[in-house]
Amino acid sequence: MECYRELIPGLPDDIASDCIARVTVRFHSGLRLVCRRWRDLVTASDFYRLRERIGAAEDLIFLVQACRGGDCEDDGADEGEKGCGIGSQPPAYGLSAYNVTRESWHRVATSEAVPLFAQIASVGRKVVLLGGWDPASLDPTAEVRVLDPATGGWRRRTPMAEPRSFFACGAVGGRVFVAGGHDAQKNALRTAETYDPSADEWAALPDMEEERDECQGMEAGGRFWAVSGYGTEEQGRFAGAAEWYDAAAGKWRREEVMWEAGGAACVGVAGGSIWSVGFGREGGGAGGVREYEGVGRGWKEVAPLPAGVKRGPRPCAAVAVGGGDKERVFVMATEEETGGVHRGWVLEVGPRRWTRVETPVGFTGFVYSAAAVRL
């Protein structure tokens, strides 16, 4: 790489830095190859503070998404098969990215197959991929990979203490938390642990009060929550209670009536609020966005479902993105008109206004988990 004295010949470095900082994140890995000075610029933490200051920062959502033949396309399987990965052949999974700021989609390159039903979390500017099913054996895996979205580079990291799938996952205070799920024998788990990506170290947490397979994980109010789930003997009968980890006391706290019949995707939003996105029953019935008001007060209506989304107790992925007066909730759910095709919608938290996301055919597969990063 030839090294120039100027970042861009003929321009002062401060102006050149502003120009380079406005390049969309998707091409940052290429910027590093121009010369050493460009590489040093785009790999410095100050570079992303500059992007924020000049209004060039971008919000990205990373999605663990069912794919067929390298593209996330419908293969003709019915919705249950696509949602659960069952049928004659389970789908492959990949990592997709939706740039909320620029309203664009792209596939994230991976050198290894993404585990089926893997969880994903974001810590700072890194994306952590954990657990799920091994694509070859379909057994739960303990593996952990970390993606740097700015460079496109992946690193294998220290695995979890035990393989698990269908577990709660979320990031709080620079750490990733995992809890519940099930093991290779389909036994529901109550174990939990936490991961520090900067040190590449796992630490055990106390067991939860209950086994929680297929529980929902989230961060809200600086707490990690494991919502609903069921025990080994209660297969598919989801509990209404949740547990949150009290880091100061080093123990789990139980909260009753946190899960609504029919299922929902829970997501933490500004001010520590917990929102759920539920899809009611086929042909109508309850459904919409609700906010949890606390013990004994239950849930209140926040917004209706967006036009065009299919009702019914089916899984969806939801994640909060942005902040302040620009906070939004991104939802990936089944479209009414097309039956099994999944589309994106964005809810603006302030005005409670929905916008349908233009979702290309290659990105309409079932989404199992999602995480947001600001770059």
Side-chain angles (χ1 to χ4, degrees), residues 173-187:
R175 303 182 69 93
V176 177
F177 289 73
V178 299
H182 68 243
D183 62 17
Q185 286 73 47
K186 301 295 189 287
N187 295 311

Side-chain angles (χ1 to χ4, degrees), residues 209-222:
E209 289 185 13
E210 297 182 59
E211 298 172 338
R212 295 187 181 276
D213 194 4
E214 294 196 52
C215 47
Q216 298 278 334
M218 64 176 176
E219 181 276 334

Side-chain angles (χ1 to χ4, degrees), residues 359-374:
T359 313
V361 172
F363 298 91
T364 57
F366 167 76
V367 171
Y368 180 70
S369 57
V373 176
R374 186 170 176 82

